[in-house]
Amino acid sequence: MENEMGYAMSRLEIDSEHCDGCKTINAIDNGQKSNTSFNILDHEISLETNLKSRPHQRLDEMMPGKRKLPVSTVKMLAGREGNYSGRGRFSAADRCHMLGRYLPVNGPWLIDQMTSRAYVSQFSADGSLFVAGFQGSHIRIYNVEKGWKVQKNILAKSLRWTVTDTSLSPDQHHLVYTSMSPIVHIVDVRSTATESLANITEIHDGLDFSAEDYGGYSFGIFSVKFSTDGRELVAGSSDDSIYVYDLEANKLSLRILAHGSDVNTVCFADESGHLIYSGSDDNLCKVWDRRCFIARGRPAGVLAGHLEGITFLDSRGDGRYLISNGKDQTIKLWDIRKMTSNYTCSAGLRNYEWDYRWMDYPPQAKDLKHPGDQSVATYRGHSVLRTLIRCYFSPTYSTGQKYIYTGSHDSCIYIYDLVSGEQVAVLKHHKSPVRDCSWHPDYPMLVSSSWDGDVVKWEFPGSGEAPIPAAKKTIRRRQFY
C-alpha cells in the first residue's frame, strides 16, 4: 500500500566500477540460498541474453589475438571496417556488446529540483521526452533533445495524496495521470501552452474507472499503463482489482477482482495486449489472458515466491519473462511457463509483525525461504521500504536487456547483471528514497528521481558539454504551492 510515512536513512558506498571489484549478491534460486555467490543463471533466458549481447561469431574467430570476452571496442570497430562479419555493419548483438559495457555511472548532473517528493520518472519510448511526477501536484514533461527544456508543466487536478503514476501514449500525444481516486485524468501533450493548469488553461478530461454499481470515489489507483496500440489503459487499484479502459469507446470495458489485497502494479506483457501481469500486497504475481477469460476473476496462472507484497512489475516485452520488486527486499525473475493455475496464498509464512511503511525489515525474515518459490532467480542488495520502489529491465537496443536496475530506500540506484547476479553499479547522490528511475532507450543515460525532489541524470562518459555536477550546482527550488 502506498501510504508513506517518516523514514530512517541508511547509506551505501558507490561501487560504480563495472568490471573491477564488483560485489556479488547472495541470492536464492528456487528458494535455496547460495552459500557463495549468485548461482549462474542456468535457464533459457541466460542463453537468449548472451546471444543478444555477444559479437558476431565470425568477428570473434577472425580477429587476431586471444579469443576472450568482452571484445574490445577497438577490435569491434576494426572488425566492422574490415567487414569480418560479411555484413559491412554491426549486428544488433554487436551493438549491444559494445554499448552494454558502458554503464551510465558518471555524474550525476542536475536536471531539476522541486520542493516535493518525486514519485514517477520515465523516458518516452523514443527517448525524446522525459516525464516526472511529484507529490506537490506537478507533473513536468522535459524535452530531452532541447536541453531538457520544460515542454509541459502540468498542475494535476483533484490530487489525493500524490501523483501515484503516469503513462505517456505510444504516439506521445497524451499523458494520463493517477492519484488515490478512481478518476484517471488525460492531458493533450501536443498543445502549445507550457503551463497546463487543470480546467484553467487546459482541460484535463476525467476517465471514470469506477463501475456503475461500485459507489464512486471509494478507491485509488496505484498503477496505469497504455497498451502498445494506445487504444486501452490498464490500471491496478486499492480495491484489489484490475481495470481495463477502452479509450475509443470512452468507457470501462473490464473489471477483474484480481487479488486478495491492493494491486500495486500492472502492465501488458507484450505488444498484443492479450496478456496482463499484476502484482499485489497478497505477495502474488498473476497472469491474465483475455483471450480465454471465461470464469470471471480467474487468472491464467499464478507466480508465488515473494514473502511480502509486490511493489512493481516490468515485462521483458516477450510475453514470457517479467521481474518484480518485493517488500521482502528482493527482485525476482519469472518465466510464466512455470506458473501454476491453482495456487492458494500461504498465510503461515510470516511469524512476525511488520509494516514496511515505517519499520525496517526484520533481521529474522532475511533467511526465510518460500517453500514453493517458482521464480527463476532472485536478486538482493537494494531495499524496498516506505514506498512502492520500481525496477526494470535495461533497454533492448543498447544492452540486450542484460541488466536489471532499481531504485532503493537507501537513496541509491542499483544495477544487477541479469545472468550472473553481480551488483555491477550502485549510484549514490540522493538523500532520500529513490522511488523511480529510467534508462534511456538508446544511450547510456539513466535518470533518477527521489523524495528529496532532485531529478538527476547519470551518463557514460557524459554529454561532452561539461555540465555542472549536481553536487556543485545549486538551483533555487521552485515554489508552486
Side-chain angles (χ1 to χ4, degrees):
M1 182 175 66
E2 185 80 69
N3 182 15
E4 295 82 355
M5 311 248 330
Y7 49 89
M9 300 284 296
S10 62
R11 307 287 293 187
L12 294 185
E13 294 302 316
I14 293 179
D15 182 13
S16 60
E17 292 298 320
H18 179 189
C19 298
D20 298 320
C22 291
K23 294 174 65 178
T24 58
I25 307 304
N26 286 336
I28 297 177
D29 186 8
N30 294 326
Q32 299 301 315
K33 178 176 273 191
S34 168
N35 292 322
T36 54
S37 63
F38 189 96
N39 296 325
I40 298 300
L41 191 56
D42 182 17
H43 194 271
E44 185 178 324
I45 192 174
S46 174
L47 176 62
E48 290 182 10
T49 302
N50 286 329
L51 288 175
K52 288 168 65 175
S53 58
R54 290 177 70 99
H56 192 281
Q57 183 178 358
R58 191 172 176 208
L59 182 146
D60 190 30
E61 291 173 349
M62 297 184 67
M63 288 301 296
K66 185 179 179 180
R67 292 180 60 187
K68 63 179 181 178
L69 290 175
V71 179
S72 73
T73 301
V74 172
K75 285 188 175 182
M76 294 287 290
L77 291 171
R80 184 187 66 179
E81 297 305 308
N83 195 22
Y84 286 132
S85 69
R87 300 182 180 186
R89 57 182 173 83
F90 283 141
S91 67
D94 290 337
R95 181 181 64 242
C96 291
H97 186 72
M98 285 187 60
L99 291 177
R101 78 188 68 176
Y102 299 117
L103 295 178
V105 297
N106 286 8
W109 290 277
L110 189 65
I111 294 172
D112 208 348
Q113 286 181 319
M114 300 287 279
T115 56
S116 65
R117 296 170 173 177
Y119 271 67
V120 182
S121 57
Q122 284 296 298
F123 280 106
S124 60
D126 66 358
S128 64
L129 299 177
F130 184 82
V131 180
F134 301 86
Q135 188 175 20
S137 301
H138 281 266
I139 302 164
R140 313 198 94 192
I141 302 178
Y142 305 87
N143 191 316
V144 178
E145 297 175 346
K146 294 184 178 180
W148 294 88
K149 179 182 178 181
V150 177
Q151 179 169 307
K152 204 82 170 171
N153 184 45
I154 300 167
L155 183 63
K157 179 185 178 183
S158 305
L159 189 72
R160 296 189 175 190
W161 176 248
T162 185
V163 174
T164 53
D165 204 3
T166 65
S167 185
L168 195 63
S169 63
D171 60 10
Q172 299 179 185
H173 290 175
H174 295 91
L175 177 87
V176 293
Y177 62 86
T178 62
S179 181
M180 293 305 294
S181 159
I183 306 298
V184 174
H185 292 283
I186 186 166
V187 182
D188 189 343
V189 175
R190 298 169 295 174
S191 64
T192 57
T194 300
E195 298 297 322
S196 181
L197 309 182
N199 298 348
I200 297 176
T201 62
E202 289 186 331
I203 300 297
H204 294 191
D205 288 328
L207 312 176
D208 190 355
F209 275 58
S210 60
E212 293 181 0
D213 59 347
Y214 203 68
Y217 292 81
S218 53
F219 64 91
I221 294 176
F222 293 120
S223 176
V224 65
K225 295 289 184 298
F226 270 99
S227 59
T228 304
D229 60 14
R231 296 178 179 178
E232 292 183 310
L233 294 171
V234 63
S237 71
S238 63
D239 68 340
D240 312 342
S241 299
I242 297 171
Y243 292 87
V244 178
Y245 196 94
D246 186 326
L247 291 168
E248 292 186 333
N250 194 28
K251 67 176 184 179
L252 192 68
S253 60
L254 180 65
R255 180 199 174 206
I256 307 169
L257 185 56
H259 286 270
S261 190
D262 293 350
V263 180
N264 293 323
T265 175
V266 289
C267 64
F268 289 101
D270 55 23
E271 293 183 353
S272 72
H274 296 313
L275 292 180
I276 296 172
Y277 299 147
S278 62
S280 167
D281 272 338
D282 65 9
N283 309 352
L284 300 176
C285 299
K286 292 187 178 181
V287 180
W288 308 87
D289 190 339
R290 294 195 289 164
R291 294 167 296 186
C292 55
F293 192 72
I294 301 173
R296 188 169 181 82
R298 183 176 178 84
V302 179
L303 293 163
H306 279 292
L307 295 168
E308 299 289 345
I310 294 159
T311 64
F312 197 75
L313 298 174
D314 187 41
S315 173
R316 194 164 176 258
D318 54 11
R320 182 176 298 173
Y321 299 105
L322 67 149
I323 56 174
S324 59
N325 229 350
K327 297 175 185 178
D328 57 4
Q329 317 303 301
T330 68
I331 293 174
K332 285 186 176 289
L333 171 67
W334 308 92
D335 181 343
I336 69 170
R337 293 171 298 179
K338 295 168 69 73
M339 64 188 180
T340 183
S341 59
N342 57 0
Y343 181 87
T344 57
C345 184
S346 298
L349 293 177
R350 184 201 283 192
N351 58 2
Y352 52 88
E353 292 296 326
W354 177 69
D355 192 317
Y356 99 122
R357 292 173 294 177
W358 55 77
M359 300 170 67
D360 291 335
Y361 196 58
Q364 67 269 28
K366 294 179 181 178
D367 294 325
L368 291 179
K369 304 175 181 65
H370 194 293
D373 191 354
Q374 297 165 287
S375 65
V376 174
T378 304
Y379 308 80
R380 298 179 183 272
H382 62 294
S383 57
V384 183
L385 297 168
R386 314 299 183 257
T387 185
L388 302 179
I389 304 286
R390 300 180 166 198
C391 64
Y392 303 93
F393 288 97
S394 64
T396 301
Y397 177 85
S398 59
T399 72
Q401 297 180 302
K402 67 184 294 184
Y403 305 109
I404 57 176
Y405 63 102
T406 179
S408 179
H409 165 257
D410 63 21
S411 314
C412 300
I413 302 96
Y414 288 74
I415 304 175
Y416 300 98
D417 185 285
L418 176 72
V419 175
S420 71
E422 283 187 351
Q423 187 185 105
V424 296
V426 181
L427 312 182
K428 178 182 175 182
H429 159 76
H430 295 286
K431 296 178 175 61
S432 296
V434 177
R435 187 179 189 270
D436 204 2
C437 47
S438 186
W439 196 314
H440 192 282
D442 299 329
Y443 306 115
M445 175 196 297
L446 186 148
V447 176
S448 58
S449 60
S450 166
W451 277 10
D452 61 14
D454 283 3
V455 180
V456 300
K457 67 174 179 177
W458 309 78
E459 292 184 287
F460 187 99
S463 65
E465 299 174 357
I468 300 173
K472 298 181 180 179
K473 185 174 183 178
T474 301
I475 292 178
R476 180 180 297 173
R477 293 182 181 266
R478 296 171 174 84
Q479 298 285 345
F480 289 112
Y481 54 96

